[in-house]
Amino acid sequence: MLQTYPVSLVLEGRTALVVGGGAVATRKVEGLVPCGASIAVVSPELTETLHALACERRIEWRPRAYTPTDLQGADIVFVATDDEAANARVYRDAAGKHLMVNVADRPELCTFFLPSVMRRGKLSVAVSTEGASPLTARRLRAELEERIPEGYEGYLDALQAQRSRVIEALPDEGARARFWQQVADSRMFALVSAGEQEAARALFESLLSEALRETEPRG
């Protein structure tokens, strides 16, 4: 099997079809809700969690078995039923329409795999075994959670707030790359993590001023 191509999908405003209403389908939906996807769940029955989301109109519930018409308008498909024949049928239908489809615990019936993800604000670290061993992926993710320190949420928010300003101030790609390399060292992260926001801003401004001086014509 060839290597997969890792990506982070922007699902806001996209339609995600989830076929199944049990515990596995619930986990899929819980991962989709924060992404802003429009979620449709097809299943005769739902878990309490999914039923509550349907009552809150955070998901659309289609209380019946899957039919091929459910794929209309879908951008991505998740399949998690206990009926192997039904799972295979959804996969064939979705793949035939060139839709991205993932069938739980059946890597041979997937056009993409779901990694185990650690999230800290805008920081996400994903571990994938390409369906070989999801439990191993979760174990490795837990180990990373212990090793990666807290504080990245505020740090990355601070950097994102300045990105457009830096792009305008440093139009030269090389100069901009050198500037971000300096910003990305441990000094600013340590200040933000310690709650020293003013010192972090002062360091940022100092580094930007230095970068601007280096781009000034010499003569």
Side-chain angles (χ1 to χ4, degrees):
M1 180 178 179
L2 295 175
Q3 290 184 340
T4 58
Y5 190 82
V7 297
S8 293
L9 297 177
V10 177
L11 293 180
E12 183 177 7
R14 301 291 183 178
T15 297
L17 176 69
V18 179
V19 181
V24 177
T26 299
R27 290 197 296 271
K28 308 299 184 189
V29 170
E30 288 175 332
L32 289 165
V33 168
C35 298
S38 177
I39 306 165
V41 178
V42 181
S43 177
E45 298 179 353
L46 298 178
T47 63
E48 290 185 7
T49 298
L50 290 179
H51 192 269
L53 289 172
C55 290
E56 295 168 4
R57 297 190 176 182
R58 299 178 70 185
I59 65 173
E60 175 195 351
W61 179 25
R62 302 173 187 174
R64 53 170 172 74
Y66 160 84
T67 67
T69 58
D70 287 312
L71 297 174
Q72 294 177 2
D75 295 296
I76 191 168
V77 182
F78 300 82
V79 189
T81 80
D82 55 7
D83 185 332
E84 289 292 329
N87 290 347
R89 184 166 62 253
V90 179
Y91 169 78
R92 289 194 300 270
D93 292 346
K97 292 181 176 294
H98 303 289
L99 292 171
M100 296 178 63
V101 56
N102 174 277
V103 179
D105 295 324
R106 293 292 302 275
E108 72 277 13
L109 298 181
C110 295
T111 63
F112 70 98
F113 300 105
L114 298 173
S116 185
V117 181
M118 183 207 78
R119 294 188 185 276
R120 302 253 176 93
K122 290 180 174 60
L123 174 66
S124 62
V125 179
V127 180
S128 173
T129 60
E130 299 187 357
S133 177
L135 284 174
T136 298
R138 287 196 287 271
R139 178 179 60 79
L140 291 172
R141 184 211 64 208
E143 292 180 6
L144 288 171
E145 286 177 332
E146 294 179 358
R147 296 182 183 184
I148 297 177
E150 301 288 341
Y152 276 99
E153 184 169 356
Y155 171 69
L156 292 175
D157 286 344
L159 295 187
Q160 185 182 45
Q162 298 293 337
R163 287 199 69 84
S164 59
R165 176 188 171 204
V166 171
I167 291 173
E168 183 177 354
L170 298 171
D172 179 76
E173 185 176 347
R176 195 162 63 243
R178 289 190 295 274
F179 167 75
W180 284 122
Q181 285 174 353
Q182 290 185 306
V183 172
D185 71 17
S186 58
R187 292 175 297 166
M188 187 169 171
F189 173 73
L191 291 171
V192 173
S193 298
E196 299 181 26
Q197 306 301 333
E198 289 300 325
R201 279 193 286 270
L203 175 59
F204 185 92
E205 295 300 331
S206 174
L207 293 173
L208 182 58
S209 295
E210 181 181 341
L212 288 170
R213 286 194 298 270
E214 290 178 354
T215 61
E216 291 177 354
R218 302 180 186 277

